[in-house]
Amino acid sequence: MHKAGELAARILDEIADHVFVGQTTGELDRMIENKVNAAGATSATIGYKGYQHASCISVNHVVCHGIPGDKKLKDGDILNIDVTVVVDGWYGDTSRMYVAGKLSRKAERLIQVTHDSLFKGIEAVKPGNTFGDIGHAIQTFVEAQRMSVVRDFCGHGLGRVFHSPPNVLHYGRAGTGPVLEEGMFFTIEPMVNLGRPETKVLSDDWTAVTRDKSLSAQFEHSIGVTADGCELFTLSPAGRFHPTWG
Ligand code: MF3
Ligand code: CO
Ligand code: CO
């Protein structure tokens, strides 16, 4: 989990310098695929339920599962890049936000709240707490900022498989759901919208967008529960997890 998580995070570090106005998401994806291969690892997403790319790249009002393509990034576009790699049979899954050109004030606020909501969830990860405690921490924080938490997609167990139980909801009631135990591995990956939480999937059967076309952001870490808290497998080696951190 350490090796897989570190590789996924390092690839997201390295791709940051290649996000700029005029760049295409397809080119970013090709660079990501090359980096996965150069590391002797495997992409978890190529061939997953028919998906054909090494990353999901979700621009502006795309909530998740954006398909890389030929469209050029424009000034002020915000994007989530989500990479999952397999190293020695173990999965590392992480995503973070980037900006092409100048970050608008409202997008910056959305990105900050989404980032901080992930860490509110992470603070609730320790043995004896429940998955409902994680969702509750995220939801109450986001809604206090008058933004909304997407309900239609969730985090997931992972390890030697990509997606395993439990569903890690980013909303919920404290004290509900399965109890966290030392040694559990899962992701937390909140999607936060500036407008309403509803999403729809486009006719390509992958791209999920906000129904009201409002901006959406997401951050994701792969996490292990330790005796007294948790460990993040996908910490950024270069300290570039957030788009304003260089
Ligand atoms: N990496 C995504 C997640 O966080 C899953 C992408 S599946 C794909 O779970 F097929 F869309 F790539
Ligand atoms: Co995930
Ligand atoms: Co992911």
Side-chain angles (χ1 to χ4, degrees), residues 43-56 64-67 80 82-84 92-95 154-156 158 162-163 187-189 191 206 218 220:
S43 164
T45 53
I46 296 174
Y48 177 77
K49 296 184 177 173
Y51 195 78
Q52 295 181 355
H53 303 274
S55 62
C56 297
C64 63
H65 302 164
I67 301 175
N80 174 279
D82 190 339
V83 171
T84 311
D93 184 6
T94 182
S95 82
C154 55
H156 48 91
L158 88 170
F162 193 174
H163 293 116
T187 72
I188 305 179
E189 48 183 297
M191 285 140 277
W206 283 106
Q218 180 179 27
E220 174 175 27

Side-chain angles (χ1 to χ4, degrees), residues 63-205:
V63 172
C64 63
H65 302 164
I67 301 175
D70 296 335
K71 235 173 96 180
K72 290 183 162 69
L73 295 171
K74 299 187 304 296
D75 187 33
D77 280 351
I78 60 166
L79 50 151
N80 174 279
I81 305 183
D82 190 339
V83 171
T84 311
V85 299
V86 192
V87 176
D88 300 335
W90 296 89
Y91 285 69
D93 184 6
T94 182
S95 82
R96 59 177 90 146
M97 297 302 294
Y98 301 82
V99 61
K102 188 173 157 38
L103 190 56
S104 73
R105 292 291 288 274
K106 69 173 186 176
E108 183 169 8
R109 224 184 118 240
L110 171 67
I111 287 170
Q112 192 66 46
V113 168
T114 308
H115 171 275
D116 293 352
S117 80
L118 168 59
F119 282 85
K120 293 289 174 189
I122 288 168
E123 281 171 23
V125 178
K126 64 173 183 193
N129 278 3
T130 70
F131 280 93
D133 293 331
I134 299 172
H136 180 74
I138 293 168
Q139 182 181 15
T140 52
F141 177 77
V142 168
E143 292 179 353
Q145 313 294 320
R146 308 184 127 275
M147 298 182 193
S148 66
V149 174
V150 169
R151 314 289 203 269
D152 301 336
F153 300 91
C154 55
H156 48 91
L158 88 170
R160 275 180 282 218
V161 290
F162 193 174
H163 293 116
S164 65
N167 284 336
V168 180
L169 306 182
H170 304 114
Y171 59 94
R173 293 209 314 276
T176 63
V179 177
L180 297 166
E181 291 170 30
E182 185 178 358
M184 286 179 166
F185 299 153
F186 54 86
T187 72
I188 305 179
E189 48 183 297
M191 285 140 277
V192 174
N193 300 346
L194 273 183
R196 293 195 48 81
E198 291 81 11
T199 70
K200 68 175 177 191
V201 176
L202 301 185
S203 58
D204 61 23
D205 284 342

Side-chain angles (χ1 to χ4, degrees), residues 1-13 36 39 41-42 82-96 158-159 185-187 220-224 231-238 241:
M1 292 304 286
H2 288 120
K3 285 185 189 169
E6 190 188 329
L7 175 62
R10 184 164 60 75
I11 290 171
L12 290 186
D13 283 351
V36 174
T42 309
D82 190 339
V83 171
T84 311
V85 299
V86 192
V87 176
D88 300 335
W90 296 89
Y91 285 69
D93 184 6
T94 182
S95 82
R96 59 177 90 146
L158 88 170
F185 299 153
F186 54 86
T187 72
E220 174 175 27
H221 269 313
S222 295
I223 297 165
E231 183 178 355
L232 306 180
F233 297 122
T234 45
L235 281 175
S236 163
F241 192 61

